[in-house]
Amino acid sequence: TTDPLVVFTPSGKRGRFAVGTPILTAARQLGVDLDSVCGGRGICSKCQITPSYGEFSKHGVTVKEDALSDWNKVEQRYKDKRGLKEGRRLGCQATVQADVVIDVPPESQVHKQVVRKRAEAREIILDPSTKLYYIEVAEPDMHDPSGDLERLRDALHAQWDLAEITADLHILQMMQPILRKGEWKVTVAVHLGDAENKPRIMNIWPGYYDGTVYGLAVDLGSTTIAAHLCDLQTGEVLASSGVMNPQIRFGEDLMSRVSYSMMNARGAEEMTSAVREGMNALFTQIATEAQIDKSLIVDAVFVCNPVMHHLLLGIDPFELGQAPFALATNNALRLRADDLGLNIHPSARIYMLPCIAGHVGADAAAVALSEAPDKSDDLVLVVDVGTNAEILLGNKDKVLACSSPTGPAFEGAQISSGQRAAPGAIERVEIDPATKAPRFKVIGSDMWSDEDGFNEMIAATGVTGICGSGIIEMVAEMRLNGIVDAPGLIGSAEQTGSDRCFQDGRTNSYLVYDGTASGGPLITITNRDIREIQMAKAALYSGARLLMDKFGVDKVDRVVLAGAFGAHISPKHAMVLGMIPDAPLDKVTSAGNAAGTGARIALLNTASRAEIEATVRAIHKVETAIEPRFQEHFVNASAIPNAVEPFPILNS
Ligand code: FES
């Protein structure tokens, strides 16, 4: 007689096993992803499965109710004490009796898929760097002089096949009472090691530890530091939080911070402590919000631009301020929290993504990890819009990267009525072609204003200024309505037929909103504002165009706008402005904070780290500063939308 057939869904893996084989054992042998922390002792319930009954013509099996063994004592005790969902069994206790189809629910899979909202986005398969293991350690014996740690290591080897485990002093300091309190049964959190480190015990608890361990995905920007706190067993984001980068007091943008370090003997050091303090404040905040103990944060991934990268590490960014922009290292870094003075678990592993080049940092690498241009069949242009635009262009064959100095205009800086995105800032604009009057939406209100800039919500929130996405829509709308011409000049009242245009020194300005009667601001767009936007968008466009030259193409299949700000840009307006190359509007999508997502992928899927390191090594870097064609593209791109490039999509 042949052994019963066991089929697992959803994997479809199958094999024949002797009557009495535990389902967990069958799963292990077939390489089915079925979780276990207690190693089959009926304690953790991570191994839950659902037997399916009935006819399975696809698999050629008929499964009867008695295909699995009856509840055994361990399983029954678990069910009585902790309960099991209807139809569930513990995979480590239930044994094969006859042909059976076993469904492994998502929560019982270690490598479950972590949900991402966008259809075109890369999926995240959970594969954390730190996992929990329950073990039973041999008791000490007068005749065997081995230490407690050595016997614990033997147990990990024998019960989990984990070899060469190390432990820091603080684990040794706490281990002995815990082993005894747990009566030689303990749970350990093991960091599984990486290219440079052996596996390491991160924490130890008496008995079975029913909790979890956490990781942080940190996006260290020049303006804000944002972090997601993730449960490393489920991949779930438990809390997200951000703080202002305290380095702002040393300079608004990166270059002013580099000059601060050049001009002050201890400047770099001051900025290093400032950013680390900011980071620690953020970690305390996020742990408080999620109500967890910070010492349970055992893994963290950082992404940032090269200057922030050096300042966080305590490396003077001097060399990044001048050609040839040499990085101290462009490789990925694997460090410990206490190397950087961070107040999470002292030996928490810190992973910093590789930098692509002196101007294109780990943040761009994270964008590449999230958007995966190197896996794309069609040619995709990814722009991460911030004070510096990082640009990637590529497909499966090759990927090119550059950065372009857009300056802070897209963030509302250096614009007369500009401001950061905050409640009260104008973020959406429409200009009426007949009256040439704007209607707008401010952040914090869902209603469009009337032509005098009013509605009930705005009356409550007030109008404070224009943020980056508002400026882009405003200038594009002004261009579409003939208020601004292609070279970027605002027309006079006679030329435009609008009394909103008025002479303002030697050029004209356009009135957006007059709140002065009620003590509010007077918001106008000056010709200098237009100029600032022209410079910023010309820098962005010429960077993209230069990469297209190098690739040997004059159009791209799709465009991805990344960056927190990219999420708010309207594709149509970006194209009217000539910020991005011509492409069908439905092929222009927003990826939100792709750098932050890349950090989360690297945190939750350890294998992706080696993958992005290989990708970055293969990326061709293009240095815009030394390319003569960059200047040429820049000059042409200063016109709106462009002096020479056609934008056929806009006319179709
Ligand atoms: Fe822990 Fe089954 S493996 S209960």
Side-chain angles (χ1 to χ4, degrees):
T1 59
T2 48
D3 286 333
L5 176 67
V6 181
V7 180
F8 286 93
T9 57
S11 67
K13 290 185 176 157
R14 63 183 66 202
R16 290 195 178 272
F17 293 90
V19 169
T21 309
I23 296 301
L24 180 65
T25 308
R28 289 263 165 86
Q29 283 180 21
L30 292 174
V32 170
D33 185 14
L34 180 57
D35 199 3
S36 159
V37 167
C38 73
R41 295 183 178 88
I43 303 173
C44 70
S45 86
K46 302 278 184 193
C47 61
Q48 292 183 34
I49 46 108
T50 314
S52 313
Y53 302 115
E55 284 270 2
F56 292 86
S57 44
K58 186 168 157 225
H59 302 294
V61 284
T62 307
V63 181
K64 296 195 218 69
E65 295 276 345
D66 54 1
L68 291 183
S69 58
D70 290 338
W71 301 85
N72 72 14
K73 262 197 291 187
V74 177
E75 199 180 12
Q76 189 61 49
R77 199 171 52 219
Y78 184 89
K79 192 184 175 207
D80 293 345
K81 256 171 88 180
R82 319 268 305 262
L84 268 179
K85 258 195 223 162
E86 188 57 36
R88 290 280 174 87
R89 299 287 305 264
L90 292 183
C92 62
Q93 303 301 320
T95 62
V96 178
Q97 301 299 321
D99 288 354
V100 65
V101 175
I102 298 286
D103 186 52
V104 180
E107 61 270 31
S108 299
Q109 299 168 11
V110 186
H111 304 291
K112 44 192 148 278
Q113 190 175 329
V114 180
V115 184
R116 278 190 78 176
K117 291 188 194 82
R118 287 182 308 126
E120 75 272 29
R122 169 204 168 104
E123 58 180 28
I124 310 177
I125 302 293
L126 189 63
D127 172 24
S129 62
T130 300
K131 289 188 189 150
L132 298 174
Y133 299 93
Y134 173 85
I135 44 173
E136 294 180 1
V137 180
E139 290 184 33
D141 175 346
M142 294 275 273
H143 305 290
D144 171 12
S146 69
D148 284 351
L149 177 65
E150 286 64 37
R151 271 173 283 107
L152 191 153
R153 290 177 57 173
D154 289 347
L156 274 169
H157 195 188
Q159 293 161 41
W160 290 100
D161 206 18
L162 292 168
E164 291 196 77
I165 305 263
T166 60
D168 290 343
L169 180 58
H170 81 271
I171 294 292
L172 281 177
Q173 287 164 341
M174 64 200 275
M175 179 190 66
Q176 290 199 303
I178 289 176
L179 278 169
R180 284 153 183 86
K181 184 171 175 211
E183 293 170 347
W184 306 95
K185 299 178 182 68
V186 290
T187 306
V188 286
V190 177
H191 183 277
L192 296 168
D194 53 45
E196 290 162 23
N197 299 284
K198 291 204 171 138
R200 181 180 303 271
I201 298 174
M202 304 296 286
N203 214 331
I204 178 167
W205 297 268
Y208 174 66
Y209 168 63
D210 199 15
T212 188
V213 285
Y214 306 92
L216 284 167
V218 185
D219 180 7
L220 170 54
S222 16
T223 312
T224 49
I225 312 175
H228 296 300
L229 178 78
C230 300
D231 181 328
L232 291 181
Q233 289 196 99
T234 62
E236 218 182 308
V237 176
L238 301 174
S240 300
S241 198
V243 295
M244 289 294 265
N245 186 334
Q247 287 181 341
I248 288 205
R249 65 175 186 268
F250 304 103
E252 274 272 330
D253 58 49
L254 289 174
M255 277 311 132
S256 51
R257 285 182 219 168
V258 175
S259 353
Y260 183 84
S261 84
M262 287 175 176
M263 262 128 58
N264 298 277
R266 294 169 49 85
E269 257 173 75
E270 284 175 63
M271 287 188 282
T272 296
S273 12
V275 73
R276 290 179 180 178
E277 272 163 34
M279 202 82 96
N280 282 335
L282 173 61
F283 296 166
T284 304
Q285 181 178 314
I286 206 165
T288 311
E289 197 179 308
Q291 296 182 305
I292 65 144
D293 175 356
K294 266 188 303 187
S295 68
L296 292 174
I297 301 175
V298 293
D299 200 8
V301 170
F302 290 169
V303 301
C304 48
N305 61 55
V307 173
M308 293 314 310
H309 176 269
H310 279 40
L311 285 173
L312 173 66
L313 293 172
I315 301 170
D316 194 319
F318 180 79
E319 293 300 335
L320 299 173
Q322 53 183 24
F325 313 107
L327 288 154
T329 176
N330 50 297
N331 278 324
L333 291 171
R334 293 173 169 87
L335 308 163
R336 290 165 45 125
D338 50 8
D339 291 335
L340 302 180
L342 301 176
N343 62 3
I344 49 179
H345 186 298
S347 49
R349 313 313 299 188
I350 308 292
Y351 178 74
M352 294 184 73
L353 269 79
C355 289
I356 298 177
H359 270 155
V360 195
D363 46 358
V367 171
L369 179 56
S370 165
E371 299 311 307
D374 56 312
K375 294 188 174 64
S376 171
D377 288 319
D378 47 10
L379 184 62
V380 55
L381 177 75
V382 186
V383 292
D384 190 352
V385 189
T387 46
N388 237 344
E390 279 86 35
I391 310 170
L392 300 164
L393 174 70
N395 59 19
K396 277 200 305 230
D397 301 329
K398 71 176 167 188
V399 177
L400 309 179
C402 74
S403 91
S404 197
T406 44
F410 286 152
E411 292 182 340
Q414 283 162 26
I415 300 292
S416 59
S417 293
Q419 66 160 90
R420 285 189 203 292
I426 296 175
E427 59 167 348
R428 307 285 317 276
V429 181
E430 251 174 24
I431 292 180
D432 185 301
T435 64
K436 313 271 192 225
R439 298 185 330 126
F440 51 79
K441 270 188 192 171
V442 299
I443 298 179
S445 158
D446 277 340
M447 279 162 77
W448 285 93
S449 73
D450 65 17
E451 295 200 346
D452 295 318
F454 289 106
N455 69 34
E456 293 146 40
M457 302 264 293
I458 290 174
T461 42
V463 182
T464 49
I466 311 181
C467 71
S469 59
I471 298 273
I472 287 174
E473 297 202 0
M474 181 70 76
V475 179
E477 287 284 318
M478 287 169 75
R479 178 74 191 98
L480 284 173
N481 289 285
I483 299 166
V484 161
D485 64 9
L489 282 175
I490 301 178
S492 64
E494 301 81 71
Q495 285 165 327
T496 60
S498 167
D499 56 7
R500 284 182 172 264
C501 295
F502 62 97
Q503 197 174 351
D504 189 5
R506 297 169 58 179
T507 51
N508 298 309
S509 290
Y510 172 75
L511 173 68
V512 178
Y513 171 78
D514 184 356
T516 49
S518 52
L522 180 70
I523 297 177
T524 62
I525 299 292
T526 67
N527 224 113
R528 253 201 81 180
D529 296 339
I530 305 276
R531 197 71 209 138
E532 292 289 342
I533 290 297
Q534 283 177 287
M535 306 280 270
K537 74 99 178 172
L540 178 55
Y541 182 83
S542 32
R545 199 67 191 74
L546 185 67
L547 293 189
M548 289 161 71
D549 288 350
K550 297 272 170 191
F551 213 98
V553 295
D554 53 16
K555 68 182 204 34
V556 299
D557 297 322
R558 57 190 178 95
V559 180
V560 175
L561 299 172
F565 165 64
H568 302 285
I569 300 179
S570 113
K572 178 184 119 188
H573 291 105
M575 219 168 282
V576 169
L577 210 54
M579 267 176 83
I580 49 175
D582 190 68
L585 283 181
D586 64 344
K587 295 284 180 189
V588 182
T589 53
S590 162
N593 181 3
T597 305
R600 196 152 63 90
I601 297 173
L603 175 71
L604 296 177
N605 183 279
T606 314
S608 71
R609 300 179 185 182
E611 193 189 303
I612 189 59
E613 288 167 32
T615 304
V616 164
R617 274 194 293 276
I619 290 179
H620 299 256
K621 298 93 194 167
V622 176
E623 182 51 70
T624 51
I626 54 169
E627 287 286 342
R629 295 222 54 190
F630 181 80
Q631 276 312 315
E632 196 183 310
H633 287 313
F634 187 89
V635 172
N636 291 331
S638 302
I640 308 172
N642 195 291
V644 293
E645 307 272 335
F647 275 74
I649 296 295
L650 290 179
N651 301 321
S652 63

